[in-house]
Amino acid sequence: MLATAEPTHDVFAAISHPARRRMLDLLIETDRSVHTLAGHFQMSRPAVSQHLRILLDAGLVTEQRRGRERHYHLIPDRLGEVRDWMAQYERFWDDRLQRLQNLLSKKDEE
């Protein structure tokens, strides 16, 4: 059975914790069980499950029961709003760096 949650939590709040960001990094590679994910952290399995619940509630992962285990799958599309938000800063820095390059080119010409 595949469990998905209607996104109820803010994606930005969900990715605010470093452990949850690391979990997403691990899920980029492949689906993983709670047990497998817990092996990458120095925290209890219930703590890992709580972090996964937040990611599930934010719509960043899905959960599938396989026998007694739960496996998690990354839903990267939900990170689109983070990408869109970051895009404005990329434009900002691109503009700043272009200005700096133009200024340095003028200095070289003098």
Side-chain angles (χ1 to χ4, degrees), residues 23 25-33 37 72-74:
M23 288 176 190
D25 292 343
L26 292 166
L27 291 170
I28 284 173
E29 300 165 5
T30 188
D31 295 358
R32 296 179 190 263
S33 68
L37 287 167
Y72 290 85
H73 172 78
L74 176 66

Side-chain angles (χ1 to χ4, degrees), residues 7 17 20-21 25-26 29 49 52 55 67-68 108 110:
H17 196 282
R20 291 191 290 267
R21 290 192 304 271
D25 292 343
L26 292 166
E29 300 165 5
S49 292
L52 287 166
L55 294 174
R68 293 176 39 179
D108 286 343
E110 293 176 355

Side-chain angles (χ1 to χ4, degrees), residues 15-74:
I15 65 170
S16 67
H17 196 282
R20 291 191 290 267
R21 290 192 304 271
R22 178 69 181 128
M23 288 176 190
L24 294 175
D25 292 343
L26 292 166
L27 291 170
I28 284 173
E29 300 165 5
T30 188
D31 295 358
R32 296 179 190 263
S33 68
V34 175
H35 175 74
T36 303
L37 287 167
H40 292 272
F41 299 93
Q42 291 184 334
M43 65 176 80
S44 67
R45 285 174 71 179
V48 170
S49 292
Q50 287 176 347
H51 284 296
L52 287 166
R53 172 54 55 189
I54 292 168
L55 294 174
L56 182 67
D57 288 346
L60 290 166
V61 299
T62 58
E63 174 187 81
Q64 183 177 20
R65 279 195 169 270
R66 296 183 191 159
R68 293 176 39 179
E69 290 190 325
R70 294 178 185 185
H71 288 254
Y72 290 85
H73 172 78
L74 176 66

